Amino acid sequence: MNRTLGALDTHREDILRGMRDGAPAALGTVPYGLVLGIAAVSIGLTLPQATGLAAFVFAGLASLTMVDLLGGGASIAVAIAAALIVNFRFTMYSASIAPHLEELGRVWRWTLPFFLVGPVYAIALNAYERGRADHHGWYFLGVAIPSWTVWVVGTVVGVVVGAGVPESLQLGFAVPLIFIAIIVRFLEDVPTVLAAVAGGGGAVAVVDLPFN
């Protein structure tokens, strides 16, 4: 215990520097947390259930995908499979940042991947490539703390807000809306527009398949 407290004190500056670097990116997590909370209410999840989902599944798009599928009647297995497919991109994140963390102990190698979301990955990798040669784990953890905290708190706020909104407003549609907003940002040329049209057309074509 004393060794742990000593390590935290020694690396406090690394954690604080990571938190300072990661704080601006945490703002981008706010809408995901709010929408997850609202969507969770719309499918009948309680506050503890929604909070637990946010706390233990730190992945915005995957969580929203799961909630949307469960709300549409999909099985838990299908929802988990879809979340894993959405999160498959994290294997590429891991491959590129792993060389900077390879000297860390097993505890770090099992802990840090939980926080490997897009903004945290980008900030940490940029810092490492610019020469942060020591205390990688503590800095990485500091970068992740603001985003994870905002994600969980945002979900709680979304649940509280969503619980006070009449069911007639169809809050469950918030998840498709945020996906549309994400996609629209990338429609910059003909190939991306064609890809979006193909994806949307395919989704409509298979909407009546079993398991949603």
Side-chain angles (χ1 to χ4, degrees):
M1 182 67 176
N2 290 333
R3 292 180 60 184
T4 301
L5 292 176
L8 287 173
D9 185 65
T10 301
H11 300 299
R12 182 178 300 170
E13 182 57 34
D14 295 290
I15 297 173
L16 293 176
R17 184 178 302 176
M19 292 178 67
R20 288 194 296 268
D21 292 347
L27 296 177
T29 310
V30 173
Y32 290 97
L34 292 174
V35 171
L36 176 63
I38 292 172
V41 170
S42 72
I43 68 169
L45 294 185
T46 64
L47 177 59
Q49 289 171 333
T51 305
L53 174 62
F56 293 104
V57 184
F58 185 33
L61 294 180
S63 298
L64 292 172
T65 299
M66 292 176 65
V67 169
D68 191 44
L69 287 172
L70 292 173
S75 67
I76 293 178
V78 168
I80 292 175
L84 291 174
I85 292 171
V86 170
N87 279 351
F88 190 73
R89 68 190 186 281
F90 290 133
T91 58
M92 295 182 287
Y93 294 176
S94 298
S96 63
I97 203 170
H100 301 283
L101 306 174
E102 60 185 5
E103 295 183 3
L104 298 180
R106 181 177 298 179
V107 173
W108 281 117
R109 293 199 302 270
W110 279 92
T111 302
L112 294 183
F114 174 80
F115 298 103
L116 195 65
V117 295
V120 174
Y121 157 79
I123 294 169
L125 182 64
N126 180 63
Y128 297 156
E129 291 181 341
R130 292 173 61 183
R132 285 194 56 84
D134 58 344
H135 313 317
H136 286 178
W138 296 103
Y139 175 78
F140 190 112
L141 185 63
V143 173
I145 287 173
S147 289
W148 182 84
T149 302
V150 170
W151 164 245
V152 175
V153 172
T155 301
V156 171
V157 173
V159 171
V160 173
V161 171
V165 176
E167 294 184 4
S168 59
L169 293 182
Q170 297 292 319
L171 292 180
F173 196 62
V175 175
L177 282 179
I178 199 169
F179 278 116
I180 292 171
I182 292 170
I183 292 171
V184 167
R185 293 186 303 162
F186 297 99
L187 301 181
E188 299 177 345
D189 50 36
V190 173
T192 54
V193 170
L194 292 177
V197 171
V204 173
V206 301
V207 71
D208 290 326
L209 288 180
F211 308 113
N212 196 32

